[in-house]
Amino acid sequence: MSGTPSGNVRAQFVVVHGAGHGAWCWYKIRSLMETSGHQMTCLDLKGAGIDPSDPNTIFSLEDYHQPLATFLSNLPQNQKVILVGHSSGGVSLTDAIHRFPHKIHMAIYVAANMLKHGFSTDQDRKDGQPDLSSFGNVSEIEYGMGPDEPPTSVKIKEQFQRQILYNMSPKEDAILASMLIRPAPMRPFRDRLVGGPDADRVPRVYIKTMHDRVLKLEQQDAMIKRWPPFKVFVLESDHSPFFSTPSLLFGFLLEAAASVECI
C-alpha cells in the first residue's frame, strides 16, 4: 500500500492519546501522514502532554475532554474529521461522537476502550479496565484531595513501563516515553457518557493489538462484540502500535478512511 490515495482530496485526522501520554506519542504517525499529504492534528487532553493543568484537579470528563470539544466546536460548519483514539482515548472518541456526530466522518479505536456509555456498568469495567495485577505493584497513585478521599491520578511506575506498555517497541521510544509520561487523572472516568441520538450514525473501526498487555485481547473482543464496529483490523503489536508498528498502523488508518470515502 503506497499510503497515497487517488484524487486531490486529503483527509484530516485528529488523534487522541491514552492515559498518561500526550500528543507526542503520535510523532511517527504524524510524520507518515504529512509526508503522504494528509493533515494530522495531535491533541493534548487536559493535564496531559504540555497542557499545564494539574491532573489531580481534573474531576470530570467534560473538563478532561475540553481541548477536544473546543477543537470540534471551532471546526467550520461543513468540515468533518476522522477521530483516532488510543487506549483510554477511546472514551474521548465515544464522548465526541455522542456530542459532535455531525463533525466526525469516522471514529477509529486503536487498542482502545470502545464502550458506548463509558465505564458505567460492571461489565464495562470488566471489559475496559486494565488488570495489571500479574505484574505486581505497578501503579503510583496520588491522593490530591487528601488520603481519606478517592485517588485523583495514577501512573505506571517507570521500571514497569517497557514491560507493560512497550514490550515490542524500540528501546529509544520506550526511553522517550519514560521521560514524558505524566500521571493520568482518575476521577473523570467515573462519569457516564450520555448517549446522543445520532451517535450510531458515525462509522466506527477497531484496530486490535494482538500482543497487548494492557487491554487484553479478550477484553478487546468483548467490546467489539457488545458494540460492533463496521470494520476490524488486526495488528501484531503491543499496546503502543504508534511505536512498534507505525507503518502498518498508518496503512490501516488510511484504509479505514478510504472505506467510507473520507479520502
Side-chain angles (χ1 to χ4, degrees):
M1 183 174 189
S2 67
T4 304
S6 59
N8 296 319
V9 178
R10 292 294 183 264
Q12 180 177 2
F13 292 82
V14 177
V15 293
V16 182
H17 57 83
H21 290 66
W24 54 266
C25 72
W26 297 99
Y27 79 96
K28 290 181 175 180
I29 307 300
R30 179 176 169 182
S31 178
L32 290 167
M33 284 288 181
E34 293 187 358
T35 299
S36 69
H38 298 289
Q39 182 179 349
M40 174 169 272
T41 299
C42 304
L43 294 176
D44 283 324
L45 297 179
K46 200 163 183 183
I50 62 172
D51 183 276
S53 306
D54 180 353
N56 292 295
T57 64
I58 301 168
F59 299 144
S60 69
L61 277 176
E62 183 179 5
D63 195 20
Y64 183 50
H65 291 163
Q66 177 266 321
L68 176 59
T70 298
F71 179 89
L72 294 172
S73 296
N74 289 337
L75 283 174
Q77 184 175 357
N78 296 321
Q79 186 173 345
K80 291 186 176 184
V81 298
I82 301 167
L83 285 187
V84 182
H86 173 248
S87 195
S88 66
V91 178
S92 309
L93 263 61
T94 304
D95 186 32
I97 65 177
H98 285 312
R99 297 170 63 190
F100 302 97
H102 56 292
K103 297 286 190 180
I104 303 165
H105 269 304
M106 169 185 284
I108 304 176
Y109 295 75
V110 182
N113 298 123
M114 189 172 64
L115 303 163
K116 190 169 185 179
H117 299 291
F119 293 98
S120 59
T121 68
D122 289 342
Q123 189 65 49
D124 293 328
R125 288 181 281 275
K126 179 181 178 182
D127 294 343
Q129 286 185 349
D131 179 5
L132 305 178
S133 57
S134 63
F135 297 98
N137 180 17
V138 304
S139 298
E140 295 177 357
I141 297 175
E142 294 188 34
Y143 295 82
M145 302 300 292
D148 297 326
E149 297 293 327
T152 50
S153 70
V154 64
K155 176 182 176 183
I156 294 178
K157 295 175 182 177
E158 184 173 342
Q159 63 266 35
F160 292 101
Q161 291 171 9
R162 179 82 192 275
Q163 181 184 7
I164 295 172
L165 297 168
Y166 317 116
N167 46 295
M168 296 175 66
S169 298
K171 185 175 182 179
E172 58 265 31
D173 287 322
I175 291 173
L176 172 69
S178 73
M179 299 167 69
L180 295 174
I181 283 179
R182 295 175 62 184
M186 297 177 67
R187 298 281 188 94
F189 294 98
R190 302 191 302 180
D191 290 356
R192 185 180 191 275
L193 299 180
V194 178
D198 297 320
D200 282 317
R201 296 185 182 182
V202 177
R204 285 173 293 106
V205 169
Y206 200 94
I207 300 180
K208 291 168 58 173
T209 42
M210 300 298 285
H211 307 283
D212 199 315
R213 295 178 177 176
V214 177
L215 201 56
K216 295 180 174 60
L217 190 57
E218 57 267 30
Q219 293 179 292
Q220 298 179 57
D221 286 337
M223 290 187 289
I224 289 168
K225 183 178 180 179
R226 290 178 62 206
W227 195 27
F230 92 95
K231 200 171 189 68
V232 176
F233 294 95
V234 175
L235 274 176
E236 298 292 333
S237 166
D238 57 16
H239 187 61
S240 305
F242 41 73
F243 289 158
S244 59
T245 55
S247 294
L248 291 173
L249 175 57
F250 165 68
F252 283 165
L253 293 178
L254 289 192
E255 187 176 342
S259 68
V260 290
E261 299 181 348
C262 296
I263 58 178

